[in-house]
């Protein structure tokens, strides 16, 4: 038999020292990052017959019992449907799910509000659903843990990724090598693997920090979410189960420390005053959390045998609450395309499959990303012309039924749809 020595040597060159000294493991798909997006993709591929490994820095016990991180996630109807399909939604008790019946946008101290109301009293009529992030993450991890075709390598950092024509390779910091047909990166908005694969991204540092906490209050929120664009800061008040709300205050980063250091009694009084006493007396429960706000949109969602999902593809400003909703819909598109290719006995890792994923997902993410960033710059700019445009925008949206209808449809859509309006 003829052996092509040059080819053999070339193949050997691809094997780095880690490859020679550590273990070599073989999978169909290597997912980097066991956040909610990475684990959701594994769950969506439950019946694909593909062998999956998920590599994560955190420990299994941190993933199985995630700490409270202050984030309460507003989920759309489509996200609820996708979480139900993957089996995670059923793992979250009804008592932890808070339907949003009404949303009010408030500008400055003007009494004028832009209102959205659910069309009826049933859960199915809700504008969306609020659930604490740690509960979502736990439910998805438990579902992932029940899969027969996926395993987790925890407490392990990915050192590098590379792809060749015939395979993809993940090198772990501990020295092992994973060979796979496809790498999917779900390794945060600051994705190191995205950079290693040469995929550029546009990013915005908003120079602002979000401060999050839970507050109990005297009066019922009636399942209403408030988004208050106040001078110098924004404040979202999101209805949680019972007389509890999730508070998200966004300020220029140089003011965040003052708010963090505020005594609890002053903080309680401050939030009550800024809400004009709408919810009566307010009382902080638990701690305050901070998140510096940076938005990122990758310019491509794939490369040879490599795809980006979740925040690694698009990391949103939280004001429009799209981040994980997009993470869920993106992984669903990718999984569906891969399984359709499998059925036709085509490569699930092929450029055609990945291109179709990118085309569909970008159609939604691009307008939402840029629309959200425009909303942020309009509503955080307190110059006179910007405040005028804000007031006009609220009134137009309120009084022009097609605009309101389109926004509401987007919130309540149960299927993958194209963006109806830039910004929503
Ligand atoms: C304040 C705030 C409020 C938000 N509110 C909403 C909302 O209301 N609605 C909504 O839809 N979204 C919201 N989001 C967005 C949502 O939280 C994110 O979109 C979501 O958590 C992203 O999930 P992910 O799995 O893509 O990434 P991540 O959760 O960032 O997970 C990435 C994982 O990758 C791991 N990792 C990274 N690098 C490596 C490596 N080299 N090796 C191994 N592992 C690695 C990390 O440890 C991590 O576990 C909000 C975000 C913030 C900050």
């Amino acid at each position: 038999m003829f052996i092509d020595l040059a080819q053999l040597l070339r193949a050997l060159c691809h094997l780095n020292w880690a490859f020679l000294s550590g273990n070599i493991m073989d999978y169909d798909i290597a997912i980097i990052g066991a956040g909610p997006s990475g684990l959701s993709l594994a769950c969506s591929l439950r019946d694909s017959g593909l062998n999956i490994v998920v590599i994560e820095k955190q420990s299994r016990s941190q993933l199985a019992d995630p700490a409270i991180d202050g984030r309460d996630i507003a989920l759309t109807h489509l996200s609820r449907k996708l979480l139900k399909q993957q089996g995670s939604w059923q793992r979250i008790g009804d008592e932890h799910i808070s339907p949003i019946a009404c949303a009010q946008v408030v500008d400055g101290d003007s009494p004028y509000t832009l209102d959205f109301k659910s069309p009826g009293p049933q859960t199915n009529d809700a504008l969306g659903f609020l659930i604490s992030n740690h509960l979502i993450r736990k439910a998805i991890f438990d579902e992932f843990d029940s899969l027969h075709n996926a395993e987790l390598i925890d407490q392990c950092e990915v050192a590098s990724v590379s792809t060749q024509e015939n395979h993809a390779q993940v090198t772990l910091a501990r020295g092992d090598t994973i060979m796979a047909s496809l790498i999917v990166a779900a390794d945060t908005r600051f994705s190191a693997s995205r950079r290693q694969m040469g995929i550029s991204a546009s990013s915005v540092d908003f120079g602002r920090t979000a401060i999050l906490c839970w507050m109990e209050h005297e009066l019922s929120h009636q399942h209403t979410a408030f988004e208050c664009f106040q001078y110098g800061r924004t404040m979202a008040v999101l209805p949680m189960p019972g007389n509890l709300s999730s508070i998200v205050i966004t300020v220029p980063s140089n003011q965040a420390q003052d708010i963090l250091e505020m005594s609890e009694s002053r903080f309680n009084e401050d939030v009550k005053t800024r809400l004009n006493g709408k919810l009566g007396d307010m009382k902080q429960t638990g701690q305050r959390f901070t998140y510096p706000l940076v938005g990122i949109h990758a310019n491509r969602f794939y490369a040879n045998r490599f795809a980006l999902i979740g925040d690694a593809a698009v990391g949103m400003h939280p004001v429009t609450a799209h981040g994980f909703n997009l993470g869920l819909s993106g992984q669903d598109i990718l999984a569906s395309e891969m399984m359709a290719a499998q059925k036709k006995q085509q490569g699930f890792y092929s450029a055609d499959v990945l291109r179709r994923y990118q085309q569909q997902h970008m159609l939604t993410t691009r307008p939402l990303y840029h629309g959200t960033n425009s909303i942020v710059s309009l509503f955080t700019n307190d110059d006179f012309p910007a405040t005028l445009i804000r007031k006009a925008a609220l009134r137009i949206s309120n009084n022009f039924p097609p605009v309101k209808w389109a926004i509401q449809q987007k919130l309540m859509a149960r299927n993958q749809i194209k963006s109806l309006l830039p910004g929503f």
Side-chain angles (χ1 to χ4, degrees), residues 156-322:
C156 180
E157 195 159 341
V158 167
S160 68
V161 293
S162 63
T163 64
Q164 319 293 334
E165 196 187 331
N166 297 321
H167 71 273
Q169 185 175 320
V170 178
T171 307
L172 307 183
R174 68 182 188 202
D176 299 335
T177 299
I178 290 173
M179 306 294 283
S181 297
L182 178 72
I183 298 171
V184 179
D187 51 350
T188 79
R189 62 187 68 198
F190 305 108
S191 170
S193 56
R194 182 181 66 215
R195 192 168 299 120
Q196 285 164 10
M197 288 300 294
I199 298 181
S200 62
S202 24
S203 68
V204 185
D205 184 339
F206 295 100
R208 299 176 81 83
T209 295
I211 298 155
L212 283 62
C213 70
W214 284 334
M215 294 189 91
E216 285 171 348
H217 35 80
E218 201 185 358
L219 307 176
S220 167
H221 46 49
Q222 312 279 1
H223 288 275
T224 299
F226 299 99
E227 185 71 64
C228 312
F229 293 103
Q230 299 165 331
Y231 297 99
R233 66 159 82 178
T234 61
M235 184 165 76
V237 181
L238 310 168
M240 300 294 288
N243 274 14
L244 186 75
S245 286
S246 173
I247 309 289
V248 184
I249 298 170
T250 309
V251 288
S253 295
N254 59 350
Q255 295 172 20
Q257 198 56 31
D258 289 348
I259 297 178
L260 277 179
E261 285 170 4
M262 224 182 234
S263 71
E264 234 173 80
S265 55
R266 242 190 89 206
F267 183 79
N268 293 343
E269 213 40 49
D270 185 59
V271 175
K272 178 182 172 184
T273 312
R274 285 173 190 278
L275 269 174
N276 291 328
K278 266 191 186 101
L279 298 176
D281 284 341
M282 308 284 298
K283 188 177 181 328
Q284 181 189 334
T285 64
Q287 70 181 95
R288 292 171 217 163
F289 296 84
T290 55
Y291 291 88
L293 298 179
V294 177
I296 290 199
H297 195 292
N299 293 322
R300 293 175 60 95
F301 290 165
Y302 76 99
N304 175 42
R305 291 180 179 265
F306 179 86
L308 293 169
I309 61 166
D311 276 17
V314 190
M316 300 283 291
H317 187 293
V319 68
T320 49
H322 281 305

Side-chain angles (χ1 to χ4, degrees), residues 76-86 414-415:
T76 60
H77 282 264
L78 173 60
S79 293
R80 178 170 77 144
K81 182 177 143 187
L82 295 176
L83 287 169
K84 272 188 179 173
Q85 271 170 15
Q86 66 171 231
R414 285 155 171 81
N415 295 310

